[in-house]
Amino acid sequence: MTDSDGDETGDDAGTAADFDVDAWREELTAKRAEKDEFFASHPHSPVPEDERDAFDGLSYFDPDPDYRVAATLHVVDDDDDEIARMETTTGGEQRYRKVGELTFELGGETHALAAYRPTGEDRETLFVPFRDKTTGQQTYGAGRYMDLEAEQELVDGETVVVDFNLAYTPFCGFSDAYACPLPPEENWLETVVEAGEQKPGFGED
């Protein structure tokens, strides 16, 4: 399995000692610059067209390798067909299939996040929406998302690198034109995750 950076994961993945921190930081900085450019000028940017000239980049926490963690994947049996009905920011509902649970250590404590895939779609990406103790303060009030690249056939007990530095604000944080699923309660982390995107405009003078 690979992480969302395309790196091969292993049993000891997710610590600063076993990957090139400088290269990781450089790649993360480049990704952020590329995303800022997309938001500022691309026709599919979630920033309303009349606000793009004033857009001065997204707000981020500083890169922190301590928030790049090794998680163990516990696969949900396909026969269980566990469906999560997620309420959206516009009051609707979207259906996802829970495919596994990721357990990991963060700040000296064990945490878990459920991983999902859309129902009716043959997609490899694992969708991990979450809230944490920064939600509604430093970060967007409806929560944040992570997308993890994985093989279609998930392996129970496999190690997955979860990099919270890649956590992002959903498009509904920039425009009411989008309907975004709200993280279910099982993905509300009882800890602070000061990594990834901050809420739009946070930290501006």
Side-chain angles (χ1 to χ4, degrees):
M1 181 176 291
T2 59
D3 66 7
S4 52
D5 288 329
D7 301 325
E8 292 294 331
T9 62
D11 291 341
D12 298 320
T15 64
D18 53 49
F19 75 108
D20 188 331
V21 177
D22 290 337
W24 166 82
R25 194 183 301 272
E26 183 177 342
E27 182 177 2
L28 181 63
T29 299
K31 284 183 176 181
R32 291 179 172 184
E34 183 180 359
K35 187 168 186 177
D36 281 348
E37 183 178 354
F38 174 87
F39 272 47
S41 59
H42 197 279
H44 293 156
S45 167
V47 177
E49 188 172 359
D50 60 354
E51 298 178 17
R52 292 175 194 166
D53 286 344
F55 177 77
D56 194 29
L58 297 168
S59 298
Y60 297 96
F61 291 104
D62 291 336
D64 188 342
D66 287 343
Y67 284 103
R68 183 183 187 270
V69 299
T72 301
L73 176 66
H74 305 279
V75 177
V76 173
D77 194 324
D78 288 341
D79 294 336
D80 292 342
D81 197 25
E82 189 169 346
I83 301 299
R85 292 173 171 81
M86 299 186 197
E87 184 181 349
T88 70
T89 50
T90 57
E93 182 182 273
Q94 293 183 13
R95 291 163 55 91
Y96 288 82
R97 182 168 57 89
K98 181 178 177 180
V99 296
E101 187 173 79
L102 298 160
T103 60
F104 53 91
E105 298 288 328
L106 188 64
E109 297 182 348
T110 301
H111 301 278
L113 286 171
Y116 306 91
R117 282 175 171 154
T119 59
E121 294 185 29
D122 190 24
R123 187 181 299 180
E124 292 187 352
T125 304
L126 298 179
F127 176 54
V128 183
F130 73 98
R131 293 171 58 100
D132 68 278
K133 291 297 187 180
T134 70
T135 300
Q137 299 185 57
Q138 298 106 309
T139 61
Y140 181 53
R144 291 182 289 168
Y145 299 163
M146 289 185 291
D147 298 316
L148 305 179
E149 298 297 329
E151 301 296 336
Q152 188 64 39
E153 294 298 326
L154 302 176
V155 178
D156 192 65
E158 195 161 6
T159 299
V160 181
V161 173
V162 177
D163 191 345
F164 285 98
N165 293 275
L166 299 174
Y168 64 93
T169 302
F171 278 8
C172 53
F174 305 91
S175 171
D176 293 337
Y178 297 92
C180 302
L182 299 171
E185 191 169 353
E186 65 179 334
N187 275 15
W188 293 9
L189 294 175
E190 293 296 323
T191 190
V192 171
V193 179
E194 292 181 322
E197 287 185 23
Q198 299 176 331
K199 68 181 179 182
F202 185 81
E204 293 182 356
D205 295 332

